[in-house]
Amino acid sequence: MSRFITLSALAVLFLFPLVWSGYASLEDPSNYLEMASFGEGLGTYATNSVLVAVMTVAGTLVVSALGGYGFARFDFPGKNLLFLATLAILMVPYATILIPLYVLLGYIGLQNSLVGLSLVFVMFQLPFALFMMRNAFEAIPRELEEAALVDGCGTFRAFSRILLHAVRPALITVGLFAFLASWNDFFAPLILLNDGSSFTLPVAVVSMTQQTFGAIDYGMLQSGVMVMAIPCLILFIVLQRHYVRGFMSGALRG
């Protein structure tokens, strides 16, 4: 009983800000109409955010799945050092390298590009994603893979048809984290994008809410928060069972 009360109190604590934002945004429904017609249009900003999120999730899943499998199943010189070097990205302050990354993207022709922004997001997601996927693959008995190889599957076929299915909860967890990070991030798009037609939702919403002398339109801000929060909330509710299994089924093994 006490556990139920504690969990209920925590649920209320975390849900109250979202419910309050939804109520505040509906006090003046015209805010949503203003958002729809602001600048390049809400549809443009939402499309940019969706494109960035899709590319970030796809890139993170591909690299982390292949890298996690390699770290879990193969031995090669410098394996542990390389893995630690990847994890070391977590120790680099996020904001300090955005300007160098902006210059680097200019050298490769991806400055002010949604693709370039997605690559930056993938890079920052890799430490967590590789850690999750390596441990997820290590939790799978080697006998499962060996049986597939005996039955005539090649290494890549066994990986793609059997092992990926076995680590699906971890893949969903990694993908969900990558989506949330790319969908909600404000600072990286603000620095790396300089064309209004390329802005993502967080940057657009901040621009919508700014008024004269730094004043903020809080009604518009709450409306923007709801527009950005609802897709995340729906996605989390749909995938929460897999998300929990991704952490429980060996993904937190050291």
Side-chain angles (χ1 to χ4, degrees):
M1 183 64 179
S2 60
R3 182 182 179 185
F4 175 78
I5 295 175
T6 302
L7 292 176
S8 298
L10 288 174
V12 171
L13 178 65
F14 284 105
L15 288 176
F16 175 76
L18 184 62
V19 174
W20 182 82
S21 294
Y23 173 78
S25 70
L26 293 175
E27 287 185 336
D28 186 3
S30 64
N31 286 328
Y32 289 100
L33 297 177
E34 292 181 29
M35 288 180 62
S37 59
F38 178 84
E40 302 293 332
L42 184 62
T44 298
Y45 303 129
T47 300
N48 292 338
S49 288
V50 170
L51 289 175
V52 170
V54 169
M55 288 187 288
T56 301
V57 170
T60 302
L61 289 179
V62 170
V63 177
S64 65
L66 292 173
Y69 175 71
F71 281 120
R73 287 293 192 260
F74 299 105
D75 291 321
F76 51 88
K79 168 184 170 180
N80 293 330
L81 182 61
L82 180 60
F83 185 70
L84 290 175
T86 304
L87 294 181
I89 297 176
L90 291 172
M91 295 184 289
V92 179
Y94 175 59
T96 60
I97 61 173
L98 284 179
I99 299 302
L101 285 174
Y102 180 80
V103 176
L104 177 61
L105 290 175
Y107 286 136
I108 61 177
L110 292 177
Q111 205 171 70
N112 190 38
S113 164
L114 297 181
V115 175
L117 177 62
S118 301
L119 290 176
V120 171
F121 283 141
V122 170
M123 181 193 70
F124 282 108
Q125 287 299 302
L126 276 184
F128 168 77
L130 276 176
F131 179 80
M132 289 283 292
M133 295 312 303
R134 186 202 66 166
N135 291 337
F137 281 116
E138 285 182 344
I140 300 174
R142 288 183 178 270
E143 290 76 13
L144 180 64
E145 185 178 2
E146 292 170 356
L149 295 175
V150 170
D151 289 339
C153 289
T155 300
F156 183 77
R157 191 175 180 184
F159 165 77
S160 59
R161 294 197 174 187
I162 298 174
L163 296 183
L164 282 184
H165 180 75
V167 298
R168 184 172 59 180
L171 286 171
I172 291 175
T173 301
V174 167
L176 185 58
F177 266 83
F179 173 83
L180 294 176
S182 59
W183 181 266
N184 293 316
D185 193 274
F186 165 76
F187 201 50
L190 178 67
I191 299 297
L192 301 179
L193 301 175
N194 50 39
D195 184 0
S197 61
S198 300
F199 284 168
T200 56
L201 273 175
V203 179
V205 167
V206 171
S207 299
M208 295 174 191
T209 60
Q210 291 179 342
Q211 296 184 336
T212 308
F213 298 113
I216 298 176
D217 185 344
Y218 286 101
M220 181 76 76
L221 179 61
Q222 301 301 336
S223 300
V225 167
M226 294 309 299
V227 170
M228 292 189 295
I230 288 177
C232 300
L233 185 62
I234 293 174
L235 193 62
F236 181 78
I237 291 174
V238 171
L239 299 177
Q240 65 172 333
R241 179 168 59 90
H242 301 284
Y243 171 79
V244 173
R245 287 178 59 194
F247 275 109
M248 298 294 291
S249 61
L252 291 181
R253 286 182 53 191

